[in-house]
Amino acid sequence: MSIKGKEIGKYFVVFGVAFAVATIIACRFEKHIKTTQDHYMESIEDLRAQISGKINANELGGVSLSGDTLQVQLIYDKINEMILHYNSSLNAADSRISRELNNLNIWVTIWMGLIALGGIFIPLVLNNESNKKLESLKREYK
C-alpha cells in the first residue's frame, strides 16, 4: 500500500468514527424521546380511563350516587375537574414531546452540517496533499 493509500485510510477511519459517534448520539436521543412519549401516553390513557365513567364513591368523597342535587353537582364538578386535568396534561405532554423533537432535530441538523463540511474539506485536503506530493515527485525526476 502506498503512502497515499495509508493517509486516505486514516481519513476514512476518522470519518467512520465521527459517523459512528453521530449515530450513537442520535439513537440515544431517539430512545429518550420514545421513553418520554410512552410515559406521557400512559398518563393520558390513565386519565381517559378515569374520565370514561369509572367514578367511585371514594373519588367523590364518600358520596353515594342518588338523585340528590348536591350529589349530582359534586359528580359534575369532579368530571369537570378531571377534564381540565386531562386537557392540561395533554397540553403539557404535547409541548414536552414537541420540545424533545426540536432538540433532536437540532442535533441531527448539526451532525448533517458537520458531515457536509467534512465532505467538502476532506477531499480538498487530500487533493492539496496529493498535489504537493506530485510536485515533489516531479522535482525529483527532473
Side-chain angles (χ1 to χ4, degrees):
M1 183 179 263
S2 68
I3 296 173
K4 181 180 176 185
K6 288 181 183 178
E7 289 179 8
I8 290 174
K10 289 178 188 177
Y11 288 115
F12 281 122
V13 169
V14 169
F15 180 74
V17 169
F19 183 75
V21 168
T23 303
I24 290 169
I25 290 173
C27 289
R28 283 191 62 208
F29 276 115
E30 182 180 355
K31 182 180 176 185
H32 175 69
I33 288 174
K34 180 70 175 157
T35 304
T36 305
Q37 185 179 13
D38 289 343
H39 170 72
Y40 281 113
M41 291 307 286
E42 289 172 5
S43 299
I44 291 170
E45 291 301 320
D46 290 343
L47 287 173
R48 282 188 184 146
Q50 289 177 4
I51 292 174
S52 68
K54 297 180 180 178
I55 301 172
N56 59 25
N58 292 332
E59 291 178 12
L60 296 173
V63 177
S64 63
L65 299 175
S66 68
D68 190 69
T69 320
L70 178 62
Q71 292 173 347
V72 171
Q73 185 62 37
L74 285 173
I75 292 170
Y76 181 75
D77 291 343
K78 182 66 175 179
I79 289 172
N80 282 337
E81 178 186 335
M82 289 169 49
I83 289 171
L84 288 174
H85 183 68
Y86 169 78
N87 287 336
S88 66
S89 297
L90 185 62
N91 290 336
D94 284 343
S95 65
R96 176 91 189 258
I97 290 170
S98 176
R99 191 170 48 246
E100 294 292 333
L101 285 174
N102 284 338
N103 289 339
L104 179 65
N105 287 339
I106 288 170
W107 280 106
V108 168
T109 303
I110 289 170
W111 279 108
M112 285 175 56
L114 291 174
I115 290 171
L117 287 174
I120 292 170
F121 289 110
I122 289 175
L124 290 175
V125 169
L126 290 175
N127 187 27
N128 189 24
E129 288 180 7
S130 65
N131 282 339
K132 286 179 184 177
K133 288 182 183 177
L134 183 63
E135 291 297 323
S136 68
L137 287 175
K138 282 182 182 177
R139 275 186 251 134
E140 285 180 17
Y141 289 116
K142 280 189 178 181

